[in-house]
Each structure stands twice: as C-alpha cells, then as structure tokens.
Amino acid sequence: SDLEQIGKILQQMKTALLVPPGDRKALISAIIKLAGAPNLRQSLGRAARETVVKNYTWEENASRILRKLTAKPKPT
C-alpha cells in the first residue's frame, strides 16, 4: 500500500506497484499484474533492493547523521 514512509521510499512502476491503502480492487489488480509478469517482478524487486541498500541501511543512516553533525554551519 502507498502508505506514508513506503510511498516516500518506493516509486510507482520503478521500485513497486503501489496501491491506495484499503483499495481491495487495486490490490487484486496489482497482484494479478505481477503474477503474469515475471520480468516486471524481477525488475521491481531488483530496483527496490538497490534503492534500499544504497540509501536505507543502518550504515548509510549513521553516515547521514554524522555528516549533519559534523557539517560546518552556514554563515548568515
């Protein structure tokens, strides 16, 4: 479902098939589409994993925090 955090991380037809929360028809349609499209399943899964590994590992989160903590303040 295209929930808050999931919708910010995953992109429609690039890394996921997102459906509106609670929309049973859209969910059924997405499942049927994925069931009949092995290449789409593979490309979405591969792209989603690459996105997560690149941007959302514990190491990347820690690095992002450290960069912000050690950044020099901008002059005003």
Side-chain angles (χ1 to χ4, degrees):
S1 292
D2 190 3
L3 298 169
E4 295 175 20
Q5 291 177 340
I6 293 172
K8 291 178 182 177
I9 294 171
L10 300 176
Q11 296 178 313
Q12 180 70 346
M13 291 303 295
K14 292 184 181 181
T15 55
L17 283 184
L18 298 170
V19 298
D23 187 338
R24 290 179 50 193
K25 288 183 182 181
L27 178 59
I28 291 167
S29 177
I31 291 170
I32 291 170
K33 182 174 187 170
L34 289 170
N39 290 338
L40 178 60
R41 289 193 310 266
Q42 288 179 343
S43 67
L44 292 175
R46 187 175 13 260
R49 185 176 193 292
E50 288 174 8
T51 297
V52 170
V53 167
K54 180 180 176 185
N55 299 302
Y56 299 102
T57 62
W58 282 106
E59 185 175 336
E60 180 54 36
N61 286 333
S63 294
R64 191 177 5 260
I65 291 168
L66 288 173
R67 284 192 301 271
K68 288 183 179 187
L69 290 174
T70 59
K72 294 181 182 177
K74 294 179 183 177
T76 53

